[in-house]
Amino acid sequence: MQDGDKLRISPIKANFSEILSKIDKFWVIGLIAGLLVATFSIDINIDKESAYIVKVNGQKIGAVKGVDVYNDVLSSIELTDGKNSLEKISFEKINFLKTDFLSKDELELSVRKELGLKAKVVAVKIDGQEVARVKSQKEYEKLLEDLKKYYYPKVDGEIKIISATIREKIEPDFVWDYYKNTQDIDDVIQKIADGQMLTQEYEVKKGDTIWDISLNNDISIEDIKLANPDLNIDKIQIGQKIKFIRKKPYVNVEIVAQINGKEEIPYDTKKIVDKNIKKGIEKIKEKGQTGLAYIEKKVFIVNDSVVQEDVLNTEVLKEPKDEVLIVGGKAHSGYVAFSGGFIRPSRGRLTSGFKFRWGRRHEGIDLASPTGTPIYAAASGKVIYAGWKSGYGKCIIISHSNGFTTLYGHASKLYVSIGEYVNKGEKIAAVGSTGRSTGPHLHFEVRKYGTPVDPLKYIR
Ligand SMILES: [Zn+2]
């Protein structure tokens, strides 16, 4: 007999194993049945099965009905934590049944908790990589629900979630571990949302400018500076190594929702050119007033970026009132000499470069940013087009010297009109999704004598 067996409730099994092998089974069954009846008729008059109080360190932690539950729990604990961990567990037979009984799982959980032992916990795996451990299957399921909810858009008005999907494969893996190695659901969600830091290295190529590197790798110049404190961004050299540190989220949660509510309608700005006032000076003649609309829209969101917005219904509650500006028109320079390079016309993520796309040539670059993000003139020049252009939606074309023109497409609003001179960096429009566009972005083209060239080669 082994040590651990002393703790178990098994009088019959131990005492009769020898006899079992020798005597006819029929008699053994009869004998056991007789014993059971005898035992229970003495101890308990109410039920056929005995009840036991289970104690850990002498403290009662609950009652069970039947010996199997108790023995199973002991076997399970012995398997993960060894025989020694059973020493502090004991039982006591009770003669009343007016109590709530613990199931095997409940008893095991209580005993393990009391002894600070390993328990069956859930490792949360995302695309095969373990991210955290939670206490139970139940907590894991709540984690999945709460994780989606974490990304639900927070808006004024009513919102109906049509669907919420986690793009990555997320699955539970049951492992034996101590509770102290598990995390609370909220902490796990925060960890998943924060993502992991990834470090990459980039080698400067011939012709690269810091703008090329920033745009092509979808990383801001600020972030490049932070990751490379010793780098002089104005003097990068071929072969030089630049470090990128970026956050990669563990999950991409795709949400489709309908949002109904009131939204402001921005006002348009009309400009009146006054040739007696110097260029660059502006005066408000009539203050603009925003309008109000009730809008029903379907939005497509990935994590916290709106990828697409489909307006289903608009009811204007109050029309906006145009702002009227008087702007100086006294030409001081006409064409401003092209000073070798354009500035980046808008903030935003480079989502498409100058290349063939879907079998067609993409004659510019796309910079994705929310509707309303300002668009600036990439260089000084004269506005030669301002209006709707097939495919490009609301569009501006500026003519610069040396045969260059720049084009700004898909705008939501235009702030300049044909014939105006604009300075480098002057706000000319706002990002939108007009024309052939699947989401708010600036389509920016540079043309040299009418031929599209790669804008990234000219942005300084
Ligand atoms: Zn484009």
XYZ file of all heavy atoms in Angstrom, residues 357 362 365-366 410 441 443, ligand 1:
68
model
N -1.252 49.086 -60.661
C -2.148 48.540 -59.650
C -3.361 47.982 -60.361
O -3.954 48.659 -61.188
C -2.553 49.644 -58.676
C -3.358 49.121 -57.496
C -3.620 50.196 -56.470
N -4.431 51.294 -57.007
C -5.027 52.197 -56.238
N -4.891 52.165 -54.943
N -5.746 53.154 -56.777
N -0.957 53.274 -61.724
C -1.437 54.209 -60.704
C -0.516 55.409 -60.792
O 0.654 55.329 -60.442
C -1.380 53.542 -59.322
C -1.963 54.391 -58.247
N -1.298 54.680 -57.073
C -3.160 55.022 -58.169
C -2.064 55.446 -56.327
N -3.197 55.665 -56.956
N 0.368 58.874 -55.822
C 0.425 58.141 -54.559
C -0.864 58.416 -53.793
O -1.518 59.435 -54.012
C 1.653 58.541 -53.691
C 1.643 60.042 -53.368
C 2.946 58.139 -54.360
C 2.653 60.469 -52.309
N -1.231 57.476 -52.935
C -2.411 57.655 -52.087
C -1.972 57.820 -50.651
O -1.200 57.010 -50.123
C -3.328 56.416 -52.184
C -3.988 56.306 -53.549
O -4.018 57.323 -54.272
O -4.484 55.212 -53.874
N -9.900 63.424 -55.000
C -10.847 62.828 -54.030
C -11.157 63.729 -52.836
O -11.558 63.254 -51.770
C -10.347 61.467 -53.521
C -9.946 60.510 -54.586
N -10.760 60.213 -55.654
C -8.812 59.783 -54.760
C -10.148 59.338 -56.437
N -8.959 59.070 -55.934
N -8.935 59.542 -48.730
C -7.491 59.636 -48.969
C -7.202 60.734 -49.971
O -8.097 61.174 -50.689
C -6.930 58.291 -49.459
C -7.236 57.946 -50.886
N -8.459 57.472 -51.293
C -6.474 58.011 -52.005
C -8.432 57.242 -52.606
N -7.236 57.574 -53.072
N -5.283 61.534 -53.329
C -4.541 60.992 -54.467
C -3.701 62.152 -54.998
O -4.241 63.191 -55.366
C -5.518 60.473 -55.532
C -4.847 60.089 -56.816
N -4.347 58.833 -57.031
C -4.573 60.818 -57.932
C -3.803 58.795 -58.243
N -3.913 59.993 -58.801
Zn -4.677 57.113 -56.112
